[in-house]
């Protein structure tokens, strides 16, 4: 694959939204499936060609062995491409969960915890009664109760 200057340059910033990751995974899955189908076609042609044109002088075991050497890697490559295609679903799910669902849940839990700390404590079954405000004492006239208390303390 070659890069052309006609499209935007790739950067990881492009995968900030779940929709973008879903589109990327879908496109990657399509490419991998296409490549797996291509390898399968090559493998099938190699198998057919080998069966139709067995070299002279090989025993049946040697022919089977050489056939396996020719076709085996194609089968393995095809299986790996199909496995990679299946992993794109895991890629999409992990990204969505790790970048969006878990942080959103943590943020909601933190907000709930913060709101719980700020809310007044409620007693079970009844509402908490706020304390009554204390009134400021009024200024007593000179020689009032305060001075009487002071004199009583000194005389005692």
């Amino acid at each position: 694959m070659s890069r052309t200057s006609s499209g935007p340059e790739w950067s990881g910033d492009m995968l900030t939204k779940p929709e973008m990751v879903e589109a990327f995974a879908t496109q990657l899955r399509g490419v991998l499936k296409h490549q797996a189908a291509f390898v399968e076609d090559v493998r099938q042609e190699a198998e057919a060609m080998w069966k139709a044109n067995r070299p002279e002088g090989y025993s049946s075991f040697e022919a089977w062995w050489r056939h396996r050497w020719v076709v085996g890697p194609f089968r393995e490559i095809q299986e790996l491409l199909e496995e990679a295609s299946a992993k794109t679903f895991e890629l999409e799910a992990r990204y969505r969960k790790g970048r969006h669902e878990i942080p959103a849940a943590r943020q909601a839990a933190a907000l709930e915890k913060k709101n719980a700390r700020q809310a007044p404590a409620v007693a079970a079954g009844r509402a908490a009664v706020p304390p009554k405000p204390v009134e400021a004492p009024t200024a007593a006239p000179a020689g009032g109760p305060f001075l009487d208390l002071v004199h009583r303390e000194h005389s005692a």
Side-chain angles (χ1 to χ4, degrees):
M1 249 171 137
S2 64
R3 278 195 183 177
T4 61
S5 60
S6 64
E9 193 78 20
W10 165 256
S11 72
D13 303 1
M14 294 178 166
L15 298 177
T16 56
K17 297 178 183 174
E19 304 85 39
M20 294 293 287
V21 175
E22 182 181 353
F24 171 73
T26 302
Q27 185 176 2
L28 180 60
R29 200 170 19 257
V31 169
L32 290 170
K33 285 181 180 180
H34 176 72
Q35 294 300 319
F38 174 72
V39 172
E40 181 181 19
D41 290 344
V42 172
R43 181 180 59 88
Q44 288 175 351
E45 287 179 11
E47 286 177 347
M49 189 169 49
W50 184 266
K51 287 178 183 177
N53 300 313
R54 275 201 179 133
E56 295 293 323
Y58 285 145
S59 67
S60 61
F61 174 76
E62 191 173 8
W64 170 82
W65 183 256
R66 290 189 182 266
H67 176 264
R68 182 175 174 205
W69 272 99
V70 170
V71 176
F74 287 114
R75 184 175 293 118
E76 290 174 16
I77 291 169
Q78 180 185 351
E79 289 170 358
L80 289 171
L81 286 169
E82 289 169 353
E83 183 181 336
S85 178
K87 290 267 186 191
T88 60
F89 291 106
E90 185 179 340
L91 164 89
E92 186 180 343
R94 277 187 180 182
Y95 185 86
R96 184 181 58 251
K97 187 175 181 181
R99 294 284 300 248
H100 298 284
E101 292 173 3
I102 291 175
R106 284 183 181 164
Q107 187 177 17
L111 182 62
E112 185 178 318
K113 188 175 180 181
K114 180 181 176 187
N115 289 342
R117 269 190 267 143
Q118 290 177 351
V122 177
R126 52 192 157 122
V129 179
K132 293 182 180 177
V134 178
E135 294 181 23
T138 56
F146 176 70
L147 289 179
D148 290 339
L149 289 175
V150 172
H151 288 294
R152 282 186 212 150
E153 280 186 33
H154 281 294
S155 62

